[in-house]
Amino acid sequence: MPDLRNSLDPALLDPAVLPTSDLADILAAVCDIESVSGDEAALADAVEAVLRDQPHLEVHRDGDAVVARTNLGRERRVVLAGHLDTVPLTDPPNLPTRVEGTGDDRVLWGRGTVDMKAGLTVFLALAVELGRPGSEPTADVTYVFYDHEEVEAVKSGLGRLVRNRPDLLAGDFAILGEPTSAGIEGGCNGTIRVEVRTHGVAAHSARAWRGENAIHAAAPVLARLAAYEPAAVEVDGLVYREGVNAVGIAGGIAGNVIPDACTVTVNYRFAPSRTEAEAEAHLRELFDGFEVVVTDSSPGARPGLDDPLAAQFAAAVLARTGGEPRPKYGWTDVARFAALGVPAVNFAPGDPLLAHADDERVPVRELALCRDALRTWLRGA
């Protein structure tokens, strides 16, 4: 394992220099505190220490989730939220981070640079800066840094906050720091995972005729998946691409035994116009004749850009960064905020196509671009 830091240098977050600071150093420090799902405590400790040192913030801790809030008496509250955890490191590890290039062409490489510590860095810098005399936002702001996003939904730190302290998540609008290449991505697809199970009869492989091969019985399952044509579904002006794919297969206990059980794990990414129940029904229809067991499910979220505050944010940001709103194909926690009645969008540095990739990397220029766009909007929202 690499020799990683376990704290953030306070000098990197000096409020006197943050308005014009180079965010690349902060992002490198945040990324170099390894925080694979289930091991977020060190990063949560570091973030909490930074936030508790800010006199304008009220700070709460729930497990490895940290919430900080301004209480300026504003009429509206905006939530900036992002997860602390990453997927596992590569072998050899893709940490510590490294920088390539010079000046505005620099690129920071390493696990988490895209998903989603670039967004966390922007939010952390704003949390320190905004709320101090002369730099007050026109809306109150809640900053949420939470654990266990890259694993099963039942482990989600944001889900735990919904159960334990929903009051801390209240707001009029939420921004998730999922990578969007500094664009606006509305809503998200839903996701459901099922196990399609086949059964057979075990036997010695030298006498295969005495058994029934459960792996062979799974061939029609794979054939249906290979022939499946995913839909493109328009929802409130954005087109979401669906997908049904095998993501795992397991069966057999030894090299000389006919397997009596086989499981094909299937992931369905469904448009936010479908409910979870409709998604499950679609899979049961697709795999009619087979045993189907749901193992994980999360609803999608409609774009939400018809909300006045969301539309105002999108117009202000895109005037600075360019482009048009796009759909978010992957699942994100905008869905949890939508379920709470809080309109939400995705906005942060980093190419979403590089999320979870071994060669994660982010252009340094996108950090300041997103920070400046958010700062300008929050101070004039």
Side-chain angles (χ1 to χ4, degrees):
M1 291 298 296
D3 180 18
L4 303 178
R5 286 166 273 185
N6 59 11
S7 63
L8 294 175
D9 183 349
L12 295 174
L13 291 150
D14 183 347
V17 299
L18 265 179
T20 57
S21 66
D22 187 337
L23 298 175
D25 290 338
I26 303 173
L27 175 57
V30 170
C31 288
D32 287 347
I33 302 175
E34 183 194 336
S35 57
V36 174
S37 302
D39 192 23
E40 299 97 328
L43 182 55
D45 290 346
V47 168
E48 181 183 14
V50 167
L51 297 174
R52 287 198 182 278
D53 201 37
Q54 312 310 315
H56 59 282
L57 293 175
E58 164 196 313
V59 181
H60 302 266
R61 177 85 176 247
D62 183 294
D64 285 331
V66 183
V67 180
R69 295 157 45 95
T70 65
N71 289 294
L72 303 171
R74 306 299 196 234
E75 292 183 359
R76 294 181 293 189
R77 180 172 289 277
V78 174
V79 182
L80 305 184
H83 59 85
L84 298 165
D85 59 324
T86 72
V87 295
L89 277 61
T90 56
D91 185 15
N94 48 354
L95 285 179
T97 51
R98 73 179 195 276
V99 176
E100 291 187 357
T102 59
D104 290 342
D105 294 326
R106 286 172 299 155
V107 175
L108 187 68
W109 294 66
R111 175 62 79 220
T113 52
V114 172
D115 192 6
M116 55 164 285
K117 293 183 178 181
L120 286 184
T121 293
V122 169
F123 294 170
L124 188 61
L126 289 173
V128 173
E129 178 188 347
L130 297 182
R132 293 174 175 271
S135 190
E136 295 93 347
T138 58
D140 270 306
V141 186
T142 299
Y143 304 90
V144 185
F145 304 90
Y146 56 96
D147 56 292
H148 284 90
E149 193 273 347
E150 299 288 9
V151 288
E152 307 96 301
V154 295
K155 295 181 179 180
S156 167
L158 190 61
R160 188 180 64 250
L161 283 170
V162 170
R163 295 189 298 273
N164 295 347
R165 293 296 307 272
D167 56 303
L168 294 179
L169 303 178
D172 300 290
F173 177 54
I175 300 166
L176 272 292
E178 293 286 356
T180 64
S181 294
I184 300 289
E185 293 187 347
C188 68
N189 276 335
T191 180
I192 182 172
R193 275 182 287 274
V194 301
E195 292 182 351
V196 184
R197 299 173 180 174
T198 59
H199 304 278
V201 177
H204 195 297
S205 60
R207 303 174 184 85
W209 62 89
R210 295 183 59 83
E212 295 180 15
N213 195 310
I215 292 179
H216 293 181
V221 174
L222 300 179
R224 293 181 196 184
L225 287 167
Y228 185 87
E229 295 185 6
V233 183
E234 183 172 339
V235 182
D236 300 340
L238 299 181
V239 178
Y240 293 82
R241 296 177 60 181
E242 295 193 329
V244 180
N245 290 280
V247 293
I249 188 166
I253 61 171
N256 58 356
V257 177
I258 298 300
D260 63 353
C262 179
T263 298
V264 181
T265 301
V266 175
N267 183 207
Y268 176 27
R269 299 295 177 132
F270 56 92
S273 54
R274 292 187 192 261
T275 65
E276 290 175 274
E278 289 170 339
E280 179 182 345
H282 180 64
L283 290 180
R284 292 192 182 280
E285 180 181 5
L286 177 63
F287 299 114
D288 183 41
F290 292 92
E291 180 184 359
V292 177
V293 178
V294 177
T295 59
D296 189 35
S297 180
S298 295
R302 301 181 77 92
L305 293 169
D306 53 350
D307 176 82
L309 197 54
Q312 180 196 93
F313 171 74
V317 168
L318 294 176
R320 177 184 288 265
T321 64
E324 297 289 335
R326 304 184 301 267
K328 172 62 79 175
Y329 296 126
W331 187 90
T332 79
D333 278 307
V334 295
R336 292 192 191 276
F337 282 99
L340 291 172
V342 181
V345 299
N346 304 281
F347 173 72
D351 182 349
L353 296 179
L354 292 173
H356 301 185
D358 290 352
D359 57 347
E360 268 190 85
R361 60 194 184 276
V362 64
V364 170
R365 69 166 68 90
E366 287 187 9
L367 297 168
L369 180 63
C370 289
R371 182 210 37 205
D372 294 347
L374 275 169
R375 178 204 286 141
T376 299
W377 183 74
L378 286 168
R379 294 189 64 181

